[in-house]
Amino acid sequence: MANKSEYVRQLVTRGAAEIVYPEAVIAALKEFKKNHKYSALPEGMQARQDAMAAMVTTFCTALAIEPIAFRAFDLTSDGNSSESYYDSIERTITMLGKLSVITFLHEFAHGLNPDGGEDFARMWSLTLFRKVYPKAFENLFMATKSPTEFFLVRPPVQSAVEAFRLAQNPIAQA
């Protein structure tokens, strides 16, 4: 976790020790991981959106909480999901921009424990994400918007052309 802040390291360490996720929650997220890889194609984004909506229902049932609604608008294949939110009055998760699994889990955590605040939502979502997506979690890097706002991002993707060029000429990597 060298590319994470001490705060994130403490959150996921504490979360791993304190949070017990129902097996149905873990199974649903594993099923999502298996069947809904990120896709920039409209049909792939629609399938991912539908699967997230189904996960909300599964999570609510497994955690024995009142139903939470799910909706998504203005979806993009790139960018971010930082404008997504949980509305505690309507009990609704609204995803905007990219259909990020971490953002989805974070907003669900607000619905699970509306009084838990950002620390709880971050701990619940990042710990579950790490449990099901351990390699992806380890590869994420911290990015900050301000001293109190951060988000995790994937490292830049190397183009196929660049990867091929480097494979043909390993000295160029230095």
Side-chain angles (χ1 to χ4, degrees), residues 6-7 21 29 32 42 50 64 67 75 82 87 97 111 113-114 118 123 137 152:
E6 184 60 28
Y7 171 72
Y21 298 95
L29 190 55
F32 180 86
D50 295 345
L75 299 179
S82 65
D87 182 326
N113 183 358
E118 287 300 313
M123 181 173 59
F137 179 82
L152 296 169

Side-chain angles (χ1 to χ4, degrees), residues 93-111:
I93 295 169
T94 301
M95 294 291 292
L96 299 166
K98 188 174 181 180
L99 286 172
S100 160
V101 175
I102 293 175
T103 301
F104 166 78
L105 295 173
H106 179 91
E107 299 310 333
F108 182 86
H110 282 302

Side-chain angles (χ1 to χ4, degrees), residues 92-158:
T92 301
I93 295 169
T94 301
M95 294 291 292
L96 299 166
K98 188 174 181 180
L99 286 172
S100 160
V101 175
I102 293 175
T103 301
F104 166 78
L105 295 173
H106 179 91
E107 299 310 333
F108 182 86
H110 282 302
L112 174 62
N113 183 358
D115 298 323
E118 287 300 313
D119 282 345
F120 173 81
R122 289 172 180 158
M123 181 173 59
W124 194 91
S125 60
L126 292 175
T127 303
L128 180 55
F129 183 80
R130 182 181 183 202
K131 187 177 205 62
V132 176
Y133 294 83
K135 288 180 184 175
F137 179 82
E138 290 305 320
N139 289 331
L140 294 174
F141 285 83
M142 295 286 298
T144 57
K145 292 169 94 174
S146 73
T148 59
E149 293 182 290
F150 74 90
F151 52 99
L152 296 169
V153 295
R154 291 184 201 178
V157 177
Q158 198 176 55

Side-chain angles (χ1 to χ4, degrees), residues 24-87:
V25 167
I26 295 168
L29 190 55
K30 284 181 177 179
E31 182 75 13
F32 180 86
K33 177 184 176 183
K34 177 182 171 189
N35 294 317
H36 300 285
K37 305 286 185 215
Y38 192 77
S39 171
L41 300 174
E43 58 272 12
M45 286 196 296
Q46 184 62 54
R48 195 171 168 94
Q49 178 182 338
D50 295 345
M52 284 181 172
M55 266 199 304
V56 170
T57 302
T58 300
F59 285 12
C60 289
T61 301
L63 292 159
I65 63 171
E66 287 185 40
I68 295 173
F70 176 86
R71 60 187 182 186
F73 300 106
D74 301 326
L75 299 179
T76 64
S77 61
D78 57 2
N80 66 60
S81 57
S82 65
E83 299 301 317
S84 300
Y85 61 93
Y86 172 74
D87 182 326

